[in-house]
Amino acid sequence: MYEGVLQDLIDELGRLPGVGPKSAGRIAFHLLQAEPTDVQRLIDVLGTVKEVRFCERCFNIAEGPLCRICIDPRRDDTLLCVVEEPKDIVAIERTGEFKGRYHVLGGAINPIDGIGPGDLHLTELMRRLGAEPVAELIIATNPTITGEATATYLMRQVQGMGLTVSRPASGLPVGSDLEFADEVTLGRAFEGRRAIQV
């Protein structure tokens, strides 16, 4: 609809998840009207975003070799919560209910998209379970078909390891992502988690 750089910007913004053509146009015009210093700050941040590292232990976002949660000595080493993505850690941390450690899988098993167990950080998880004093494994994958499939696969893998395995309790709507759950719902789900026989 527009020419040159403006249309290129709208096209690129429209490729972002959750940003449709109308939203992309609004953002583009906002940037046109913004102060040059504000736009430059955005450019600087976008230029450094690919420098973000991942924790060598749990695969959370980190500024150094280990993330802030892995280096925190106050965390409970006997509780390990498995999530799909780093954004899920943020959602759980907002509740203030969980004081253990995390492990980020990097997605969920999804044969339709060609994502199998070998594409996730499952080998590293099994290594951690063998080396760390984990007593309870909380499988907090999203309550979606792929999240449930991943949880089922994981439960089979840890069977016979002597761990208490649990899933967040009811309160999370099926078909939604953890990052969109409010703090109260997610907090209650963690408070009321139940053990699963494996």
Side-chain angles (χ1 to χ4, degrees):
M1 293 175 66
Y2 301 97
E3 292 183 14
V5 176
L6 181 59
Q7 187 59 49
D8 292 343
L9 177 59
I10 292 170
D11 292 343
E12 289 304 313
L13 290 169
R15 293 176 56 198
L16 296 172
V19 179
K22 288 183 180 180
S23 294
R26 281 194 292 275
I27 296 168
F29 278 101
H30 172 78
L31 292 172
L32 282 175
Q33 297 170 347
E35 292 293 322
T37 54
D38 294 339
V39 175
Q40 188 59 51
R41 271 199 315 271
L42 178 60
I43 291 168
D44 292 343
V45 169
L46 288 173
T48 59
V49 74
K50 292 310 281 184
E51 295 173 15
V52 170
R53 300 169 64 174
F54 292 95
C55 179
E56 294 172 1
R57 182 181 184 196
C58 75
F59 303 97
N60 187 17
I61 292 171
E63 291 185 3
L66 296 176
C67 72
R68 65 176 176 76
I69 294 172
C70 282
I71 61 174
D72 186 348
R74 298 169 297 174
R75 304 299 289 219
D76 186 348
D77 291 330
T78 65
L79 296 173
L80 185 62
C81 180
V82 177
V83 296
E84 292 179 26
E85 302 290 346
K87 62 187 176 187
D88 300 329
I89 292 176
V90 174
I92 294 167
E93 285 295 292
R94 278 196 315 250
T95 70
E97 293 291 331
F98 183 68
K99 302 300 180 201
R101 307 255 182 219
Y102 293 95
H103 188 86
V104 179
L105 294 175
I109 297 171
N110 188 345
I112 293 171
D113 290 341
I115 301 170
D119 299 310
L120 305 176
H121 298 294
L122 290 168
T123 303
E124 296 88 348
L125 173 61
M126 298 308 286
R127 195 176 304 127
R128 286 184 72 185
L129 292 175
E132 297 178 18
V134 178
E136 181 180 356
L137 182 68
I138 303 163
I139 304 173
T141 52
N142 289 319
T144 59
I145 292 172
T146 57
E148 292 296 328
T150 305
T152 301
Y153 177 86
L154 195 48
M155 284 184 271
R156 288 186 186 135
Q157 294 302 303
V158 300
Q159 194 169 12
M161 292 182 76
L163 296 169
T164 297
V165 180
S166 62
R167 290 274 285 148
S170 61
L172 295 174
V174 174
S176 69
D177 290 340
L178 285 175
E179 69 174 310
F180 299 116
D182 64 281
E183 289 88 350
V184 175
T185 301
L186 196 53
R188 286 181 183 158
F190 261 80
E191 251 183 329
R193 67 182 182 272
R194 57 185 165 70
I196 300 169
Q197 296 297 325
V198 292

